[in-house]
Amino acid sequence: MDDVVVVGAGPAGNNAALSLARNGFKVSVFDSRSEIGNKLCTGIIGTECSDKFPIAESFVYSAPKSAKLITPDNDSLEFSVAYPQAKIVDRVSYVNSFANQAIDAGARYHLEENVLDLQPNGDGVQVKTSNGTYESKAVIIAAGFSSNLTQKVGLGKVSDYVTAVQAEVKTNIVAPTRVYLGDDIAPGFFAWVVPQKPGRSLVGILARTRSQFYMNNFLDKLKVDGTIQKITKIPSKWGIPLRPLKDTVTDRVLVVGDSAGQVKPTTGGGIYYSLASSEIAADVLSKALIKGDFSKRYLNEYQQRWKDLLSHELETGYAARRMYEYLSDGQISSLARQAYKSGFVREILDSPKGSFDWHSETIETFLTNPISKSILGLVNPLLATFAKRPSFEDELLSTTGAT
């Protein structure tokens, strides 16, 4: 019997396995993929994340100090900061580095082995996979948004989501990262072009519905204006949670990362929040293994601690996200230009309140700024938050050609 089975070899799963293995526990990690860390992601992390969870310099493509915003009316605004707040990284190598350390510490990895079911009982958890059945004292679910394991253990599913579609392209641009806004590009969300190595960029969009349709249109637009030369890796699709699970703990089971909805609703980024939450999960589970108490009541310390860390960020970001979805193209363009001309955005980004990973203070400052208030006056953030959202099934039915 393992002490802990970790389902999913992403940032959350690998870091939890690393911490538990270093504490001397018997850990097995299962992942359906053949390559660790190979998941749709732009690979952008904040400097705070790289400081707390170090990354080898060889995995860093760049540390940009500017980004270009393309408004719905096609105005191009370049925002700069005095010091880099983020790094564009080799996401696969970064995530893999945690797995390699976990393996060195004694964790065992089972790749290309899909976990099909979890059955907690009084003695442990029976873990059924595509290759067989295993026993463990406890389980960490870190299998991503698409996993149904949270439902199988009675914790339900994330209540809101967005679909990301991303392709790798050949391009002659070097910098900066470009973010595109507008209903004809990515209604209610945004699209991006993120340069990585010379001649290679990632292109993607976020959309609630018809994601492949909007992605195809965006790629066509970039081909016409000469931004990209050809697609070198066909578009892939992935679900990104926008709200956390109500409960992330039950007897013998903890849920971490995208599976738990620990993702920034503003951008869809989840690496740092996943790593931070997995550290808490490993600490709580280590104490549970020593005490021999795997009850929901004892493990609930995990939920209390990660919510203390992230809840305000997630709720503030979600309210801002839903309010943005209510804005017209004209309002978005006006907000962007006014913020740019007034220097408000630059002032925020260069202040202690400006952070790539912590958005709540920036959002609150922005919403109380006279310029923002005059443009946002007709938007009710409370009503926007609770407005109807399409179901995940609707998006799957309306999207074709995605992998």
Side-chain angles (χ1 to χ4, degrees):
M1 177 181 284
D2 281 310
D3 290 316
V4 180
V5 159
V6 178
V7 185
N14 290 336
N15 193 48
L18 170 60
S19 297
L20 288 162
R22 280 180 172 170
N23 286 341
F25 298 111
K26 186 179 179 183
V27 182
S28 289
V29 181
F30 292 84
D31 197 290
S32 60
R33 292 165 291 190
S34 60
E35 185 179 9
I36 295 172
N38 186 14
K39 173 195 163 183
L40 179 67
C41 180
T42 55
I44 303 178
I45 62 172
T47 51
E48 183 177 330
C49 176
S50 64
D51 288 343
K52 187 168 183 180
F53 301 98
I55 179 171
E57 283 302 314
S58 59
F59 300 157
V60 178
Y61 294 127
S62 64
K65 293 193 289 184
S66 66
K68 188 173 288 187
L69 183 70
I70 315 299
T71 66
D73 57 5
N74 211 36
D75 200 359
S76 180
L77 308 173
E78 187 163 341
F79 294 90
S80 303
V81 292
Y83 303 98
Q85 292 190 358
K87 297 178 180 180
I88 300 174
V89 307
D90 181 340
R91 195 254 192 203
V92 173
S93 296
Y94 183 43
V95 173
N96 211 359
S97 69
F98 292 93
N100 290 334
Q101 293 177 75
I103 291 169
D104 289 342
R108 292 166 300 283
Y109 275 68
H110 302 254
L111 300 182
E112 297 185 90
E113 188 164 356
N114 191 29
V115 174
L116 305 174
D117 196 18
L118 300 172
Q119 295 181 357
N121 54 55
D123 300 320
V125 183
Q126 189 177 72
V127 181
K128 294 185 177 181
T129 78
S130 52
N131 289 355
T133 302
Y134 304 81
E135 298 287 337
S136 179
K137 294 176 184 176
V139 169
I140 292 177
I141 299 175
F145 171 71
S146 60
S147 171
N148 64 356
L149 292 178
T150 56
Q151 294 171 263
K152 288 182 177 291
V153 297
L155 292 175
K157 62 180 181 179
V158 170
S159 62
D160 196 9
Y161 77 100
V162 66
T163 300
V165 187
Q166 183 170 270
E168 186 179 293
V169 302
K170 182 179 180 182
T171 179
N172 53 15
I173 69 168
V174 178
T177 290
R178 302 181 186 184
V179 177
Y180 295 75
L181 307 177
D183 273 349
D184 61 332
I185 300 290
F189 288 84
F190 60 91
W192 61 87
V193 177
V194 178
Q196 292 188 313
K197 295 179 179 178
R200 188 181 80 181
S201 294
L202 296 178
V203 171
I205 67 153
L206 297 178
R208 285 193 181 277
T209 60
R210 303 175 70 199
S211 56
Q212 194 66 42
F213 168 80
Y214 286 109
M215 180 62 168
N216 291 340
N217 285 351
F218 186 49
L219 288 169
D220 289 342
K221 169 185 169 61
L222 296 178
K223 289 176 184 175
V224 169
D225 68 20
T227 300
I228 65 175
Q229 297 166 334
K230 68 175 182 178
I231 298 169
T232 55
K233 189 173 181 181
I234 62 173
S236 296
K237 185 178 74 170
W238 204 266
I240 298 176
L242 294 176
R243 300 220 80 179
L245 281 179
K246 181 180 178 181
D247 293 308
T248 56
V249 176
T250 190
D251 292 343
R252 297 186 180 273
V253 177
L254 304 179
V255 188
V256 181
D258 280 17
S259 292
Q262 294 159 341
V263 173
K264 288 177 279 189
T266 46
T267 65
I271 293 177
Y272 188 27
Y273 288 4
S274 291
L275 291 171
S277 297
S278 65
E279 203 166 57
I280 297 170
D283 180 58
V284 171
L285 206 46
S286 292
K287 291 187 289 187
L289 286 160
I290 293 170
K291 187 177 177 64
D293 187 345
F294 303 96
S295 66
K296 177 179 178 179
R297 181 177 179 180
Y298 188 83
L299 296 178
N300 200 53
E301 179 191 342
Y302 161 67
Q303 176 146 317
Q304 293 172 344
R305 285 172 58 183
W306 82 252
K307 286 197 169 185
D308 285 345
L309 178 67
L310 298 178
S311 274
H312 182 64
E313 290 295 318
L314 298 182
E315 290 304 315
T316 302
Y318 186 72
R321 153 60 45 216
R322 293 294 283 147
M323 185 165 60
Y324 175 83
E325 291 183 71
Y326 261 55
L327 298 179
S328 67
D329 279 355
Q331 287 173 314
I332 294 169
S333 295
S334 181
L335 274 172
R337 266 194 298 275
Q338 291 298 327
Y340 180 76
K341 291 177 181 177
S342 68
F344 171 72
V345 172
R346 173 65 185 268
E347 181 182 339
I348 286 292
L349 292 175
D350 283 340
S351 77
K353 294 182 179 181
S355 171
F356 183 82
D357 291 306
W358 307 103
H359 298 167
S360 62
E361 286 197 37
T362 300
I363 291 169
E364 289 159 1
T365 302
F366 182 74
L367 292 178
T368 56
N369 182 271
I371 295 172
S372 308
K373 287 174 71 175
S374 66
I375 298 173
L376 298 172
L378 298 178
V379 180
N380 186 317
L382 184 61
L383 292 179
T385 299
F386 293 104
K388 185 180 183 299
R389 301 174 294 268
S391 70
F392 185 56
E393 289 75 15
D394 290 341
E395 163 61 11
L396 289 179
L397 289 171
S398 65
T399 303
T400 59
T403 56

